[in-house]
Every structure is written in structure tokens, then in C-alpha cells.
Amino acid sequence: MKHFSRYILSAVLTASLCGMMCSCSLEENNPGGFTFENLSKTTAGFQTIVNNIYFGLERSFYGNVNKIDFMAITEAETDLWTTPRNKDNTSTQYFWYYAGGTPNTTYTLNFLYSLYDGIGSCNKVLQYGDLPPYKTEEERNSKLAEARFMRALYYYHGVEQFGGITVVTEKDTEIGEGVYTPERKSPKATYDEIIIPDLLYAIEWLPKGDDSYITRPTKKSAIGLLARCYLQATRWTEDAEYYTNALKYAKMLIDDMNAGGASYNAYMYDKYEDVFAEANNYTNKEALWKHAYYSDATYNGSSNGAHVLNMCHELFRAQITSFPARENNADTYETWEGSKNGSFMPTQHLISLFVNSDNTLDPRFKKIFQNVWLANKSYTWTKDMANQYDKDASVIGQTVAVGDTAIEFIMPQDPDYAAKKAQRYTSKHMIIDYADVYNDAGKTVEMFHKYFNTTEAYKADGTNENFHSNFYPSMTKYNTTKFFESNRSKIRFGNTSAMQIIRMPEMMLIAAEADLKVNGGSNALSYINMVRKRAGAKELTGTVTIRTILDERAREFCGEFMRFYDLARTGMLKDDNYLNETNPSVGKYFKAEYVLRPFDTSTFLPSINNGSEYQNGGYASGAK
């Protein structure tokens, strides 16, 4: 929902793992005799406790980049993304597996805070859920179901990031000595004892809802997350029952969609372009669960401020301001294509996945990647700029006016590719050839450029830095014009658009992967082709393998917070072979132990008695 209470924030840190992080219980800091029990004696008061189950979500998950880049820990360090221009960066823990250096073991602290803030808030709802005077048990149970859905989500991300974690439930209400020597529950046990039961309860008691639901989950949200969790749990167990159940719950929504959504409101758009159309954003029919941050003049939607809410619209842009006909300004920022440079560059492998065997492009490529930008600032070519970007001297003095095409990235599969390629040295706008940026043989980004228009400073021997790699296809799934103006002079705008966190096509690809294990893949192709047919892509034939499914998931869900989990689940991160094959620039830094994140060594591990044993392998413990 949009508006979540903040005034009881100090109370949501229950006597859980957060207690190890120097947080206090309510009774130790209790102004005015306030207690959760008293608050829970009215339905309005209890609702403020329910609202706080989303605070952990808002601190560090799905778009908020102030505490931790959640997109990075779910999408980076995979086969799909690299850093801009594939160059060194200051966040190697997010993109390059520490680039061969000593692992950063402190960057996960805020994620742990947010994770257990969220879990603690959910536990409070479950602990006091029998007190508010609801008129029906159905209404009461729907509130508990909301908390159990969110608790399952938090534990899901905790397990998939760290492996074994400490599980805290609503029954844990005292800070005892044992909390300083916590035990890590196995991933499988966490799925079996917490995540799956919570989601089964949520399916039973959450409302069917409608397309207007944002952040608050519905029945289809819980079914979709349960299907995802059953499949993801196979990362930790050989038990075929998990595949069977993943298929069962995915089919539950597929069948409902085919029946018109009567039971769960399941739906998939007929046209792919409708999925991310701004007109469908808040009431997206395809979304099984969506989340949006809220901002207005008196409430920023987060204790961190409006300008660090959903920042996904910034993450995937090329370095377009490297060309002076583009600048980052407030007026342009509010438009669909924006201006600010991003931090995610598609790899050669990701782009290659959109190239069909007949050398045509999958229709989704042009619908989710932007390759042309217009000028938002008048620019007249200088000699230095012309030389740097390999332009003929004839462009010097020519002007790119506001509204003219400024940058154009061309693909070999474009119908006019040859003609555009022939113009790239003499056109007054920037024409960037795919081959100037990506190396198909090496499956990487071209780091150097062989100049055609040579000068004393820029040579033809391929020893010069490749400035053309500033410009590359930029994913637009999160582009928006829905902003709250936080500080215009500093170009700070809160993105209030909704993110589609679970979409209906995922159910088809979950079903395909599960069917591969349960039925030998007899139905897998039909599930995959349901997704491809909607996309307007040519239907696949032949034998389905796990790579077939992974490739389709990349085309459909790139940038949607799941690729790292996909690779970990399917065994592609058991060693460095897969990454060296698909994204060698990252693969060369990968070690198998890095598939799990480190527990923080700055505050968390030193505060417990068993930090050395608690830490994941391959990392320093920082234990006291």
C-alpha cells in the first residue's frame, strides 16, 4: 500500500537477530508506557504494526540504492551485466567478485539490518494478531497472511544470499544468552519450516484482490512466490518433490489464466509492449506482485528521502552524457528516456541471446532496449571531440540542435545497418557500430579502438582507449515519468512508479524447468513457447535443456532481480566454467565460495560469540 507508518519504527526491532546488532527491546526504551500489546487492542493501532512489515523492504530491497544496491546482488556478477565500458569500478563486491582482491566483508551490514527489521516486524504482527477486535476471523487471518507472505519473502532472500541463516519467529520474545551464539538453520530447513508454511497460509487467507493492489500481496502473489520458492529450493536439495510442487503451483496460475482469471485474477498481456507501458504501471494485470514507493510533500515514503527510493530507472542507461549533446538536467530527467548515466552495461552474451539463428532480432530487443537518444543540448563539433570519436574532419563546426538525433547504436541485424555503418564517420550525430563496442570472438567489450581517421594522438594499431563503448543498448523496463520532486536544483526526484516483481510469464518458465525434471521435459517446450508466442518471437523446436530455459529467462527477465538466483539454482556457479564461457571478464574473478555473500565483519560478527564459525567460507570472520 502507499502510506506506511513510521512512528513505531523503534519498536519493530524485536528480540531477534537484530538484538545482536545492539538494538534494544521496547521495554528498555518505552516512552509514555507505549507497548505493542496496547497498540494491538484497536484495529487501527494494529494496522500500524502491519504497515511496518514493509519497512525492511523499503530500506534495501527492489530499487532503493541508499543502503545496498539490491539490483546488483541479484543481477550483477552474472552472465548478463558488466560495469559501464567494462572498466574498473569502486564497487567490485557487486560486479567483479572483488576483482581478485581481498573480499569486502562489510557491505552486507545494511542488508542484514533491513532483512531482520522486516522479519521482526512480521513477527510482531503474528505475536499480537489475536488481540485486535476484528469482526471476523477472515479479516484477522488476512492480516496475519500479509505478514507471513512478507516474512517468507525476507527469509527467501536471506537464504539465497547467505545460505544458512538464523531463523527467528514470533515465539522469540526475550533476549537471552543464546542470542549471542546464534545457530544457522540450513537453507532446506528454512524453506520447509518457515518459507513454505508461511506461503501456504498466505494462499489460504490473502484476498483475491484486483489489479489496483500495490505492495499488499494477494492470493496470486503468494501462489507465484511459492512456485518460485519451491523451484529455488532445489538449489539445496535433490528431493524431486520440490520440482513437483513448483510445477503444481505454477500450473495453478497458468490454468487460472487460461480460464479467464476467475479464481486468482491471473492474466498475461497479449502484447509484450503492454507489460512495461507506463499506462499499465499501477494497474498492471500481468503482475502477480508489484511494489511502488510513495512520496508527497510531507512524507517521502522512506526515512532515507524520496530521491533514493526506486532508482532502477537510472541503473541501465549508457554513458550518454559523454557526448556533449546530452546533459543530465532536471527537465530531461523527468522524461521517459532521462539523462543520468547508469551502472549496468549489457554483456555481449546478453545481447547475443536476442539474435536468432536466422540472424534476425528477437522482437523483445527493440522493445526493452533503447538505442537512439535525441539531443537535449545544442552542440557544435570541435576538432578534439571529432578526433576522439574517429570522425572525419568534415563534421568539425557542424551543430547538433536540441531535438536532433544525438546518439544511435546500430546492430548488424538492423535493416539499414550497412547504410548507417557507412555514415558513421561523416554523420553529425554519433553512430556507434555494435562491432565498435562488442567483441563476439572474445565475448567481451572492446577495450581498445582501431582508428580509421588517424591523427597523432589516435592511431590505427588498436592501442587507444575505446571511447565508443560509452554508448550501448540501455534497458528501459524501469523508464518512467512518474516522479516526486524532492530537490529540483540537485536533480533529485523520487520515482513513484511500480515495479513488477513477479510476472505471469515466470510461471510458464518455472513450469518448463520443473517439467524438465518431473516429466523429462515432455511439456517444457509448450510452456516456453507460450512466453515466446506472446513476445512475437519464433517458437522453438527440438529438445529442451536447462540452458534453453536459462536463455529464455534471460530474454524475458533480464534486469528483474533474479539472474544471480537462476545461475546459483541451476549449478552454473558451482565453478567458473559457465561464467568464463559467457562473461569471461567477470568469470576470471569468480570463486565457488563467492556464490554466498559474506556476513558483515564490521558490526555483526564481532557482536556475537561464534563469529568465526558463523561466517561463510572464503571470507574473513572479523570475530571478536
Side-chain angles (χ1 to χ4, degrees):
M1 210 69 179
K2 289 183 175 180
H3 191 84
F4 306 129
S5 172
R6 289 288 176 271
Y7 70 85
I8 61 168
L9 171 60
S10 62
V12 304
L13 299 179
T14 60
S16 65
L17 191 62
C18 293
M20 306 172 213
M21 301 175 186
C22 305
S23 62
C24 300
S25 70
L26 179 67
E27 287 69 29
E28 294 171 324
N29 181 19
N30 187 7
F34 169 80
T35 66
F36 282 111
E37 184 173 354
N38 288 338
L39 191 64
S40 300
K41 290 179 180 179
T42 67
T43 56
F46 188 69
Q47 185 62 49
T48 63
I49 302 177
V50 175
N51 289 344
N52 271 281
I53 67 178
Y54 301 103
F55 184 65
L57 180 76
E58 292 192 337
R59 285 185 71 182
S60 298
F61 292 75
Y62 300 115
N64 190 320
V65 299
N66 190 49
K67 296 297 184 182
I68 189 171
D69 192 335
F70 189 71
M71 184 69 77
I73 63 172
T74 53
E75 285 285 320
E77 295 183 321
T78 69
D79 51 341
L80 304 187
W81 308 103
T82 186
T83 59
R85 306 181 66 200
N86 201 38
K87 296 191 70 174
D88 292 343
N89 63 92
T90 58
S91 300
T92 56
Q93 71 268 22
Y94 291 137
F95 282 93
W96 283 9
Y97 294 106
Y98 318 106
T102 302
N104 181 330
T105 56
T106 65
Y107 74 99
T108 57
L109 177 61
N110 282 310
F111 181 70
L112 279 170
Y113 271 126
S114 300
L115 186 72
Y116 282 98
D117 275 359
I119 291 168
S121 300
C122 294
N123 288 341
K124 281 300 180 190
V125 171
L126 302 178
Q127 182 179 348
Y128 293 100
D130 61 333
L131 296 182
Y134 288 112
K135 294 180 179 179
T136 67
E137 286 306 297
E138 182 178 12
E139 187 177 4
R140 181 189 316 278
N141 291 343
S142 71
K143 301 298 181 182
L144 303 182
E146 205 173 322
R148 294 186 73 165
F149 173 90
M150 287 302 301
R151 187 172 69 171
L153 181 81
Y154 289 127
Y155 275 121
Y156 162 73
H157 285 301
V159 165
E160 294 307 318
Q161 291 292 333
F162 296 107
I165 56 174
T166 296
V167 167
V168 188
T169 68
E170 73 276 11
K171 297 177 182 179
D172 301 300
T173 59
E174 299 290 336
I175 296 181
E177 180 62 29
V179 81
Y180 296 104
T181 310
E183 295 183 2
R184 294 176 62 180
K185 189 178 288 291
S186 73
K188 183 179 183 299
T190 304
Y191 274 105
D192 288 346
E193 297 173 23
I194 301 293
I195 298 172
I196 291 171
D198 276 357
L199 291 174
L200 288 171
Y201 185 94
I203 291 170
E204 181 177 3
W205 292 107
L206 283 174
K208 176 184 176 182
D210 56 40
D211 299 327
S212 68
Y213 274 61
I214 297 178
T215 299
R216 304 270 186 210
T218 62
K219 282 188 185 296
K220 69 178 181 181
S221 309
I223 298 170
L225 183 57
L226 183 58
R228 177 189 285 187
C229 287
Y230 265 125
L231 185 68
Q232 193 66 32
T234 63
R235 173 184 178 185
W236 311 102
T237 179
E238 299 291 330
D239 193 337
E241 181 183 1
Y242 293 86
Y243 287 110
T244 300
N245 284 322
L247 181 59
K248 170 185 173 181
Y249 286 99
K251 277 181 53 61
M252 191 180 296
L253 289 177
I254 294 170
D255 292 346
D256 184 62
M257 179 194 75
N258 291 334
S263 297
Y264 307 115
N265 199 36
Y267 183 88
M268 186 167 75
Y269 286 109
D270 293 333
K271 298 179 179 179
Y272 186 80
E273 51 264 37
D274 290 337
V275 179
F276 302 103
E278 191 163 48
N280 297 329
N281 183 254
Y282 287 149
T283 57
N284 194 286
K285 296 180 178 181
E286 183 167 305
L288 301 178
W289 185 51
K290 52 185 178 286
H291 171 59
Y293 293 93
Y294 175 70
S295 295
D296 66 16
T298 59
Y299 169 70
N300 283 336
S302 167
S303 64
N304 301 317
H307 65 284
V308 291
L309 300 184
N310 174 9
M311 304 306 290
C312 291
H313 62 288
E314 290 187 355
L315 297 179
F316 297 94
R317 300 199 199 290
Q319 311 304 291
I320 55 177
T321 63
S322 299
F323 184 41
R326 290 289 309 193
E327 68 174 1
N328 184 27
N329 60 52
D331 291 339
T332 304
Y333 191 99
E334 292 179 287
T335 66
W336 179 261
E337 67 176 43
S339 289
K340 190 171 182 179
N341 297 341
S343 54
F344 283 73
M345 178 183 188
T347 60
Q348 184 276 342
H349 176 67
L350 175 55
I351 293 180
S352 74
L353 291 177
F354 289 92
V355 179
N356 299 320
S357 58
D358 61 359
N359 203 39
T360 59
L361 284 174
D362 185 293
R364 284 168 288 194
F365 182 78
K366 290 295 179 74
K367 294 172 183 177
I368 64 174
F369 286 101
Q370 181 174 358
N371 291 323
V372 176
W373 292 266
L374 304 181
N376 67 347
K377 180 182 179 181
S378 178
Y379 172 68
T380 300
W381 280 92
T382 64
K383 180 180 178 181
D384 287 345
M385 197 69 174
N387 290 344
Q388 180 175 310
Y389 280 100
D390 206 359
K391 287 291 190 179
D392 184 83
S394 62
V395 306
I396 299 171
Q398 293 194 50
T399 298
V400 180
V402 173
D404 289 350
T405 298
I407 306 163
E408 185 175 14
F409 184 94
I410 58 174
M411 292 284 292
Q413 294 75 29
D414 293 338
D416 55 356
Y417 172 71
K420 287 289 179 66
K421 183 176 181 178
Q423 299 169 11
R424 70 189 189 279
Y425 299 130
T426 57
S427 65
K428 71 174 183 179
H429 72 282
M430 197 76 74
I431 296 179
I432 305 298
D433 182 10
Y434 168 89
D436 285 334
V437 178
Y438 291 102
N439 183 315
D440 285 343
K443 295 185 179 297
T444 189
V445 175
E446 291 283 12
M447 303 302 292
F448 301 96
H449 182 70
K450 296 179 180 180
Y451 278 78
F452 178 80
N453 295 292
T454 59
T455 63
E456 183 177 349
Y458 301 105
K459 306 180 185 304
D461 59 5
T463 59
N464 288 100
E465 179 181 356
N466 183 19
F467 296 102
H468 295 72
S469 61
N470 281 307
F471 314 109
Y472 43 83
S474 301
M475 195 185 74
T476 63
K477 288 181 177 180
Y478 300 103
N479 282 20
T480 186
T481 64
K482 298 179 183 294
F483 292 105
F484 166 72
E485 184 178 311
S486 176
N487 189 320
R488 192 173 191 84
S489 65
K490 294 183 179 180
I491 318 180
R492 290 180 174 177
F493 296 89
N495 177 346
T496 60
S497 63
M499 293 169 283
Q500 323 310 328
I501 297 174
I502 309 177
R503 294 196 289 116
M504 190 61 206
E506 186 182 349
M507 297 303 104
M508 288 80 167
L509 297 185
I510 287 174
E513 189 172 335
D515 184 80
L516 197 60
K517 300 293 184 178
V518 174
N519 301 313
S522 59
N523 301 307
L525 199 60
S526 63
Y527 291 126
I528 296 172
N529 282 332
M530 289 175 71
V531 177
R532 293 184 61 82
K533 182 177 180 181
R534 191 281 294 274
K538 183 179 179 180
E539 295 186 21
L540 297 180
T541 59
T543 302
V544 173
T545 67
I546 196 64
R547 287 289 293 269
T548 310
I549 296 167
L550 272 178
D551 290 352
E552 194 60 38
R553 287 182 70 94
R555 286 184 284 266
E556 182 69 22
F557 302 121
C558 58
E560 295 187 49
F561 307 103
M562 62 180 84
R563 190 60 173 184
F564 190 85
Y565 296 171
D566 288 348
L567 297 187
R569 179 185 69 253
T570 55
M572 300 303 162
L573 299 181
K574 65 182 179 182
D575 53 40
D576 62 4
N577 290 336
Y578 178 80
L579 286 179
N580 279 324
E581 174 194 339
T582 57
N583 188 12
S585 296
V586 170
K588 65 183 178 181
Y589 298 122
F590 177 75
K591 295 181 181 179
E593 55 263 36
Y594 293 160
V595 75
L596 296 179
R597 309 293 180 186
F599 287 96
D600 166 70
T601 57
S602 64
T603 301
F604 170 51
L605 291 182
S607 71
I608 62 177
N609 295 328
N610 56 335
S612 297
E613 297 81 12
Y614 204 93
Q615 179 64 289
N616 280 320
Y619 301 106
S621 69
K624 61 184 179 182

